[in-house]
Amino acid sequence: MWFSYRFGPCFTSAGELIDALTYARANPLMRKVKIMGREDKIIWIPNDNLRRLVRSLNKTYALLHAKKKCLSSLTSSNVLVGEDGSAVIQGVIEIPYSEEEACCRYNETASILKELITESVGSEAIGVDCIADFCRLLRQMESMTSVCQEYIISNHASLIPDANRYSTA
């Protein structure tokens, strides 16, 4: 059985879908910011469009895992992105759930995210100047215990939208 998070000829209620690499080229997924008090230090942090992409992929996995299903092998060519920035997975097969397969999908997703970030803004964004909490998220996704940390991965602090990070008071 082929799995598609959303069916149809690459159109959803959110509009047209584009492949993830094209989306990454058109939308910077990370941005440089200066650290307060250290004008010489610049770090890379995820933009909201990357956060939306990661959250939507993780939500798809959580929904599948609740149904005791997993996806077969995943590559960036299986990921489409809607105009709202959420991910749509197409062209993969549902398989029975196993912790090993679930961990493999998280690992593949971390690799896909690194590929998209590199395509979007360059490899330095996921190097030593990447903000620590996002690096921890990627490491957690690459871990063979990632399925045991599914809640933490899906609700990771680095995925909080910018609008929710700052107080207006």
Side-chain angles (χ1 to χ4, degrees):
M1 172 178 175
W2 284 95
F3 178 81
S4 178
Y5 185 59
R6 297 181 185 158
F7 297 95
C10 295
F11 286 89
T12 68
S13 60
E16 187 175 357
L17 298 175
I18 59 172
D19 68 276
L21 287 171
T22 302
Y23 179 79
R25 287 183 204 112
N27 298 284
L29 298 180
M30 297 189 68
R31 68 182 185 276
K32 291 180 186 181
V33 295
K34 292 182 180 182
I35 296 179
M36 290 178 69
R38 291 191 57 198
E39 297 301 319
D40 60 324
K41 181 68 174 165
I42 295 176
I43 59 172
W44 288 88
I45 65 171
N47 280 337
D48 282 344
N49 45 9
L50 177 60
R51 293 181 182 120
R52 265 189 305 279
L53 190 65
V54 175
R55 281 194 312 269
S56 62
L57 287 169
N58 289 340
K59 182 178 179 181
T60 300
Y61 296 147
L63 292 170
L64 283 167
H65 297 165
K67 295 178 183 179
K68 297 296 182 199
K69 301 280 185 181
C70 284
L71 298 177
S72 63
S73 186
L74 188 66
T75 66
S76 60
S77 63
N78 299 116
V79 180
L80 301 175
V81 183
E83 290 175 6
D84 63 350
S86 61
V88 177
I89 301 172
Q90 282 193 249
V92 293
I93 299 171
E94 281 184 355
I95 58 176
Y97 177 85
S98 76
E99 283 189 10
E100 182 179 338
E101 288 295 329
C103 287
C104 286
R105 294 308 82 77
Y106 279 117
N107 192 313
E108 290 168 354
T109 301
S111 295
I112 291 168
L113 293 173
K114 289 178 182 180
E115 177 185 0
L116 295 176
I117 291 166
T118 300
E119 191 69 32
S120 177
V121 294
S123 59
E124 68 272 4
I126 52 175
V128 293
D129 292 332
C130 182
I131 193 165
D133 65 345
F134 190 70
C135 285
R136 279 192 291 277
L137 172 63
L138 292 175
R139 279 195 307 275
Q140 283 178 314
M141 292 175 78
E142 293 168 335
S143 165
M144 285 313 289
T145 61
S146 57
V147 73
C148 301
Q149 302 174 30
E150 189 167 62
Y151 179 82
I152 294 168
I153 289 171
S154 296
N155 296 289
H156 199 273
S158 66
L159 301 178
I160 296 171
D162 281 339
N164 295 355
R165 287 180 175 256
Y166 308 105
S167 163
T168 58

